Amino acid sequence: MKKTVWGVLSTARIGVKKVIPALMQSDEIHVKGIASRDATAARAAADTLGLDTAYGAYQDLIDDPEIDVIYNPLPNHLHVPLTLEAARAGKHVLCEKPMALNAAEIGQLSEVAQTVHIMEAFMVRHSLQWLEARRLIREGSIGTPRIIQSQFSYNNTDPANIRNKVEWGGGGLMDIGCYPIVAGRFFFEADPVRVMALISRDKTFGTDTLTSGLLDFGGGRQLTFAVSTALAPAQSVTVYGDKARLSLSIPFNQPPDAPQVITVDDGQTFIGATAVTHTLQPSNQYQLMGEAFSRAVRGEAPLPYGIQDAAINMRIIDALFRSETSGRWEAVAA
C-alpha cells in the first residue's frame, strides 16, 4: 500500500499536539512537513515533531508536488480561503471544524469539491466509542432515543487567543457548540428542523461565552446543549430512550491511551445498580479520522462526509445565531 503524503498548514496547537502525532502513528500516512508564515516557527515545529520539511510560506506547501493531502487547522476565518487554494492546486483537504464562518461561505468550495476530497475534521465521528454507542442505540439497548443532552466547557480569558476574537469566528458556539450538534445528528441519524438559542456575550471580546441550544429533530426527538468558554472544563453526552439512558465517558477529548467507557442504565435504581458498562480498548480518534480520509483519497473507500454535510452543520449554527437576535424558533434553512 502506498502511503498518502500529508502536509500541515500552520503550527496550530491542535495540529502539533494532537493531530500530527496521531497521523504519524499510522502505517497508511506519511506526514512530510509543516508550514508557517514564520520560517523559524515552521522549522522549530518540524524539528520537534521529526518531520522532513519546514515550509516558510503556506503557498510553498500547497505547491509541493509530493503532497497528496493538506490538513488545515488555521483559524476559522482562514478555513475556506486556504482550503480553496489547496483544492485548486489539486490537494485533498482535511479542514478543521467549523469549516466556514457561515453556510454561504462553504458554497465557494462546491466546484473544487468535484475534483478533490474535502472533509470537515470531526474526529468524534471516527471514535470507536461513538461508533459502538450508535450500534447499541441501533440495536435497541435504550429503546427509542428521544432526548440527547450535552455540555462542553473550558475557561479561556486570554484576549490574544483566537477563540476570543469574534471577527475570526471565535466564541463557544463555533468552537465547541458544533460538537453537541454533531452528536445529535450522529445518534439520532437525522437533522434538526428548527432550533432556538440563548446566548450571553463577553462585553470586551464580543464572543459568545455561554450558549444554550434546543434543537428539534422532529418525531419527538430533542437535543439540548450548553457550551461555555468561561466555565470550568467539563464535557458530557447522554442519550435518553424509553427503556434506558446511554452515557459516554469523555465524549469529545478522549485520551488515546485510556479505555473508553459507555454506560447503559435502565434507571431501576437511582444508584446505578442495574447499569451495564461497555469498555473499549484505547484508540486514537485522530488517527482513525486520518486513515479514513486517506482511504478515500486512495480510492479504497468512499468519503465519509463531504462539504454538503459541513454545510448542514453551518446552517444549524447560522440558525442558532439568528435565534439569538429574534428570540424565536428559527428554521434550519434547506
Side-chain angles (χ1 to χ4, degrees):
M1 179 186 64
K2 183 179 181 296
K3 293 184 178 182
T4 53
V5 181
W6 289 56
V8 179
L9 281 174
S10 97
T11 56
R13 180 179 176 83
I14 188 172
V16 171
K17 295 295 184 181
K18 293 185 177 182
V19 179
I20 298 173
L23 297 177
M24 293 177 72
Q25 292 176 11
S26 176
D27 294 331
E28 303 181 29
I29 295 168
H30 171 60
V31 183
K32 179 182 178 182
I34 189 167
S36 173
R37 290 173 295 184
D38 181 338
T40 301
R43 184 72 265 167
D47 290 344
T48 298
L49 292 161
L51 303 180
D52 298 335
T53 307
Y55 304 89
Y58 298 148
Q59 195 63 47
D60 291 345
L61 167 60
I62 291 171
D63 291 340
D64 187 335
E66 293 186 359
I67 297 294
D68 302 311
V69 177
I70 287 179
Y71 168 58
N72 180 356
L74 288 162
N76 294 338
H77 70 298
L78 295 177
H79 283 175
V80 167
L82 269 296
T83 294
L84 190 59
E85 286 190 33
R88 284 174 173 163
K91 311 301 184 185
H92 305 279
V93 183
L94 179 68
C95 182
E96 264 306 325
K97 54 77 208 163
M99 188 173 281
L101 295 178
N102 51 61
E105 191 183 23
I106 293 180
Q108 298 177 35
L109 302 173
S110 296
E111 184 175 348
V112 292
Q114 305 301 314
T115 56
V116 298
H117 290 311
I118 301 174
M119 188 172 84
E120 198 169 23
F122 274 108
M123 71 291 184
V124 289
R125 285 170 151 169
H126 308 270
S127 156
L128 298 186
Q129 182 191 40
W130 277 47
L131 292 168
E132 176 64 9
R134 187 167 66 177
R135 187 192 70 79
L136 290 169
I137 293 169
R138 284 175 173 174
E139 72 174 19
S141 293
I142 66 170
T144 302
R146 292 296 187 191
I147 296 175
I148 298 175
Q149 292 184 329
S150 180
Q151 188 267 342
F152 198 1
S153 60
Y154 58 79
N155 197 330
N156 183 335
T157 59
D158 178 7
N161 191 282
I162 60 171
R163 294 164 183 82
N164 293 322
K165 294 184 179 295
V166 68
E167 67 275 16
W168 288 4
L173 181 55
M174 292 282 278
D175 188 45
I176 52 179
C178 51
Y179 284 106
I181 290 169
V182 164
R185 297 183 63 209
F186 189 89
F187 293 118
F188 280 143
E189 300 190 69
D191 296 326
V193 294
R194 59 175 184 162
V195 303
M196 182 178 286
L198 181 63
I199 294 178
S200 297
R201 292 186 176 270
D202 185 275
K203 294 181 180 179
T204 301
F205 303 145
T207 54
D208 62 298
T209 54
L210 176 60
T211 293
S212 295
L214 175 59
L215 280 61
D216 177 6
F217 282 79
R221 297 169 298 179
Q222 303 172 9
L223 164 70
T224 61
F225 74 87
V227 295
S228 177
T229 62
L231 292 177
Q235 54 188 263
S236 65
V237 171
T238 300
V239 186
Y240 295 84
D242 56 357
K243 294 181 179 178
R245 66 181 184 272
L246 179 150
S247 298
L248 305 179
S249 68
I250 319 178
F252 306 123
N253 299 128
Q254 301 163 11
D257 55 354
Q260 299 167 22
V261 178
I262 302 167
T263 303
V264 178
D265 192 341
D266 63 8
Q268 294 303 307
T269 68
F270 291 124
I271 60 173
T274 57
V276 177
T277 299
H278 303 260
T279 302
L280 287 73
Q281 293 302 308
S283 61
N284 192 315
Q285 58 189 341
Y286 294 100
Q287 179 182 342
L288 295 171
M289 173 179 64
E291 290 174 345
F293 192 62
S294 291
R295 286 192 289 272
V297 167
R298 294 194 300 267
E300 299 169 0
L303 183 68
Y305 304 94
I307 63 166
Q308 294 82 7
D309 181 88
I312 293 171
N313 285 329
M314 284 310 311
R315 287 201 294 268
I316 296 167
I317 292 173
D318 289 349
L320 286 163
F321 279 132
R322 290 199 304 273
S323 179
E324 173 191 13
T325 302
S326 71
R328 301 188 301 267
W329 283 102
E330 291 288 342
V332 177

